Amino acid sequence: MKTNNVPGKVSRREYLGYFSYGFGQCFSYGLLGSFILFFYTDILGISALAASTIFLIARVWDAVNDPMVAGFMDTRRTKSGKFKGYLKFAPLFVVISTILCFFSPDLAIQWKVLYAAITYILWGTVYTVSDIPFWSVSAVITNDPQTRTSLVTAANLGVFAGIGMVGSLVPLLVGLFGQESLADGYFMAVILIMVAGYAFMMFGATTIRERVEPSAGEKVTMKDVFRNLLVNRHLFKMLAIFFLNLFMNIVNGIILYFFIYNMGNEGLMSIYGLMGTFAALGFFLIPNLTKKFRKKDLLAGIIVLDIVVRIVFFMTGYENVPMLLVMLMLTQLFHASLGPVMSSMIAETIEYSEVKTGRRCEAITFSGQTFMGKLSAAIAGSDPDRHRLCAGSRSAVSRDIERPVHGRISAAGCRRTDPSGDPAVLHIHRRGLQEGPGCAGAAPQ
């Protein structure tokens, strides 16, 4: 293995660029992770069961597609380097596929389901082509472990800040553009957000520089790639831990429903998004902490703290809004802090498999992270009745809840009051959602 430059000599502009790519790319991931199920059921009008089936089919495809894409990248080089070339063209397709996912065509319901399936699977495929090289490039920017930890910290800061930013902006933009139609509101919001995301991603793609190159004459075959994967037992341990993002993805998937139907205030979604952005600032502590503690011990300590906070959260409930926000902030802080630690540990398994096989395969290693991220998000959104029962407080499960919905567009989708002027009332029953008098909001547009 040789390098073209001094290992670890990475400029601040390069750190900013790596942050920016993750920030812009996760505008897309945040939109699909937090809003697509709500969009499918409450705006596009397809059933939650149909949506769950789409998610399942997409993950089956990813199980085949992600390793094949990674294998292709590990056995070839672009003109700009091993991974940088993909980062130059992938952003445009990420933007287009994301926008298509939030378009509501005027079709019969069965064709809407087909449209949703095609666009969602297309998005997952395109996202793979962007996400695998995004994470893999950290291993060829430098081979210095401490510098690489700082790099993946910057990348994770961008990821969580991007997801949090989307959570803040979507309710505001939908309210601004969705006065007549929630479908139009979401579509315009997604267009604006993804245009901004494209700019961030392209800035990142132009600033990243690859330094680590394979030894002269080294040829990696597809057989080498999958052999490299099979011997990397430490990678599978890390991916099992990474899969536990499932539980935070469940929270992100139901949080909009929770704020609307439990708290009666969809505006809390913007606050929640901002908290996610600020929680990512805790990443700045990670590089220094990894100098004092083993990453393994640091990972275990953060997980224990996260579990303790969640137990306290469960015991205190959500009746006290300030306490609710504090608990949500802490859970986001600990969850966010796990990101750079896990990504840097996954990156270090590349050297382990290289020692075992004599071949360096970054893409196949990080394809596991990409796949596990999408798999956990899909499983989190796969319960057909989850969005109906997310108002599952001790009282909500046992009796009906009534919430007044006034005559403005809200993220819940209630478009107008009863002609008599009385506020519409949305009844949430154990078995699902039913419209109260005059509320067209729960019905698909």
Side-chain angles (χ1 to χ4, degrees), residues 162-233:
I163 293 173
M165 186 64 69
V166 165
S168 301
L169 291 177
V170 168
L172 299 176
L173 292 175
V174 170
L176 179 64
F177 295 106
Q179 294 298 318
E180 298 298 328
S181 167
L182 272 178
D184 292 344
Y186 266 91
F187 190 61
M188 288 301 302
V190 170
I191 289 176
L192 292 176
I193 289 171
M194 288 313 303
V195 167
Y198 178 77
F200 282 111
M201 293 173 75
M202 290 308 298
F203 171 74
T206 58
T207 57
I208 292 171
R209 179 184 174 191
E210 295 187 10
R211 295 174 177 82
V212 180
E213 295 184 355
S215 301
E218 180 178 312
K219 177 70 174 178
V220 178
T221 66
M222 192 67 75
K223 181 179 178 181
D224 293 328
V225 169
F226 287 99
R227 179 168 173 261
N228 193 285
L229 176 65
L230 292 175
V231 302
N232 199 343
R233 59 189 178 90

Side-chain angles (χ1 to χ4, degrees), residues 10 36 39 80 88 90 93 128 177 208 251 272 275 305 319 350 358 388 417 419 423-424 431 443:
V10 180
I36 195 63
F39 182 84
S80 302
K88 288 183 175 180
F93 295 98
T128 294
F177 295 106
I208 292 171
V251 173
Y272 179 76
M275 289 193 304
L305 288 173
E319 287 79 8
I350 294 171
R388 297 171 184 167
T417 57
R431 297 182 60 189

Side-chain angles (χ1 to χ4, degrees), residues 144-153 282-299 302 337-345 348:
D144 175 65
Q146 192 60 47
T147 304
R148 193 162 51 203
T149 296
S150 298
L151 275 168
V152 296
T153 298
F283 287 169
F284 290 113
L285 300 175
I286 298 301
N288 288 329
L289 289 174
T290 56
K291 294 178 182 178
K292 298 180 179 180
F293 304 98
R294 295 189 306 169
K295 294 185 181 74
K296 178 181 177 181
D297 297 334
L298 187 59
L299 181 67
I302 295 173
S337 299
L338 290 173
V341 179
M342 288 191 292
S343 294
S344 62
M345 292 177 73
E348 289 174 2

Side-chain angles (χ1 to χ4, degrees), residues 48-89:
L49 178 60
S52 298
T53 303
I54 291 171
F55 297 155
L56 175 62
I57 294 172
R59 296 298 78 84
V60 172
W61 164 243
D62 285 337
V64 177
N65 177 63
D66 288 8
M68 295 303 295
V69 169
F72 180 87
M73 292 179 179
D74 270 330
T75 57
R76 289 165 176 79
R77 291 180 61 85
T78 69
K79 292 181 180 180
S80 302
K82 189 171 183 179
F83 300 112
K84 187 173 179 177
Y86 301 105
L87 301 181
K88 288 183 175 180
F89 77 82

